[in-house]
Amino acid sequence: MRKQFICGNWKMFKDLVETAELINGLKTEVSSLNPKVTVAVCPPFTSLAIAANLLKDSTIRIGAQNMSPHDEGACTGEISWRMLKSVGCEYVILGHSERRQFFGETNELINEKAKKALANGLKPIVCVGETLDQREKGVTTQIITTQIKGVLDGIGSSDLGNVTIAYEPVWAIGTGKNATPLQAQEVHQGIRKLIGQLYNWSVAESIVIQYGGSVKPENAKDLLAQDDIDGALVGGACLKPDSFLAIISAAKS
Ligand code: PGA
């Protein structure tokens, strides 16, 4: 059975003081909740080191929100896999729709980053999702298929066990309007089927597919109860201990 994976994407929130407050609010509670669920937080780069330090003896893992496709060099403002590993990151979110929309990230670039992460022992959480316009035009399946094929291009089945896919419909992110459990399940099932075609059924059965987009305590249980939804990538609701903890405890175990 797939292990549920709940990950908090802090986006561009929390300075150092606020980081310590949030981590301290989570870490004592999280061990008593749903021990069968993997929990990670992805603070901004500036908070990674302090978060990792505070979480030294905790089961909560750490991830970053982005990573350069390059090892090092004259890339002002970029952060490499080596830097992320040196502060204790295990995961990295790649291809979030905000990076695609506002920073021009393409499937090719996200693929390059995913391969770089995997080659260097970081586990990518690769995001895919359609816009409202695409959903209304009825092309969700085509969009998701193109994104999945693009971001996983050249990644072998032995590496896929270290990849998490996050299905995040763009129209549901930060809008308060989540996909219904059935809408999400339909896409998740389609993604798993596609992975089965691209790889094989045992790889498809074991890959973790998170749902993201306005996950909150009120809707988490119904979303996470779906057969092919294996966890959540949580934005707004991960910024307060109570709501993030409530989502963790809603995960099926
Ligand atoms: P949200 O964000 O939960 O605030 O909708 C999710 C995400 O962007 O990962």
Side-chain angles (χ1 to χ4, degrees):
M1 194 184 144
R2 295 179 295 272
K3 195 167 176 188
Q4 298 283 299
F5 179 21
I6 308 290
C7 181
N9 173 11
W10 293 17
K11 307 195 181 186
M12 199 172 70
F13 292 100
K14 307 290 179 190
D15 62 18
L16 290 186
V17 172
E18 294 161 339
T19 295
E21 280 167 8
L22 178 49
I23 296 288
N24 287 329
L26 291 174
K27 77 172 184 185
T28 44
E29 298 291 332
V30 86
S31 55
S32 56
L33 286 168
N34 239 340
K36 295 196 186 122
V37 179
T38 304
V39 177
V41 290
C42 299
F45 292 132
T46 46
S47 289
L48 287 171
I50 185 174
N53 195 30
L54 289 168
L55 290 173
K56 262 200 315 273
D57 305 315
S58 161
T59 54
I60 304 177
R61 290 102 189 276
I62 305 259
Q65 300 172 21
N66 186 23
M67 188 197 85
S68 167
H70 304 295
D71 292 322
E72 61 182 3
C75 300
T76 303
E78 289 290 276
I79 302 284
S80 73
W81 62 267
R82 196 191 306 275
M83 296 164 184
L84 296 183
K85 285 193 78 175
S86 75
V87 291
C89 285
E90 178 176 346
Y91 295 95
V92 58
I93 299 172
L94 296 176
H96 189 278
S97 69
E98 287 149 17
R99 303 250 15 123
R100 292 175 184 262
Q101 259 182 300
F102 308 132
F103 301 95
E105 294 205 6
T106 60
N107 290 325
E108 291 71 29
L109 178 65
I110 298 157
N111 175 246
E112 219 186 309
K113 293 182 179 193
K115 287 197 273 205
K116 182 60 77 177
L118 288 165
N120 293 289
L122 279 170
K123 298 175 183 164
I125 300 170
V126 180
C127 305
V128 295
E130 81 287 2
T131 62
L132 185 57
D133 184 48
Q134 290 163 338
R135 175 159 281 265
E136 283 172 350
K137 285 195 178 120
V139 294
T140 299
T141 306
Q142 289 96 304
I143 294 295
I144 302 294
T145 301
T146 304
Q147 290 177 338
I148 295 274
K149 284 186 176 167
V151 298
L152 297 182
D153 186 41
I155 295 176
S157 50
S158 59
D159 272 333
L160 216 63
N162 287 322
V163 175
T164 298
I165 293 174
Y167 166 58
E168 299 205 298
V170 179
W171 48 273
I173 295 177
T175 57
K177 187 172 176 253
N178 60 286
T180 65
L182 289 181
Q183 279 174 323
Q185 164 61 20
E186 194 184 11
V187 179
H188 281 236
Q189 196 175 36
I191 293 173
R192 202 173 303 286
K193 198 166 145 217
L194 176 63
I195 298 291
Q197 287 159 3
L198 296 173
Y199 294 86
N200 57 58
W201 192 242
S202 96
V203 169
E205 281 277 89
S206 55
I207 192 160
V208 171
I209 309 174
Q210 295 175 320
Y211 167 78
S214 297
V215 177
K216 23 185 196 244
E218 305 81 63
N219 60 24
K221 204 169 176 69
D222 288 344
L223 284 162
L224 295 168
Q226 300 299 311
D227 282 352
D228 289 291
I229 300 185
D230 311 315
L233 186 55
V234 185
C238 80
L239 297 173
K240 292 210 172 87
D242 288 357
S243 48
F244 193 50
L245 291 164
I247 292 168
I248 297 164
S249 50
K252 50 182 182 282
S253 56

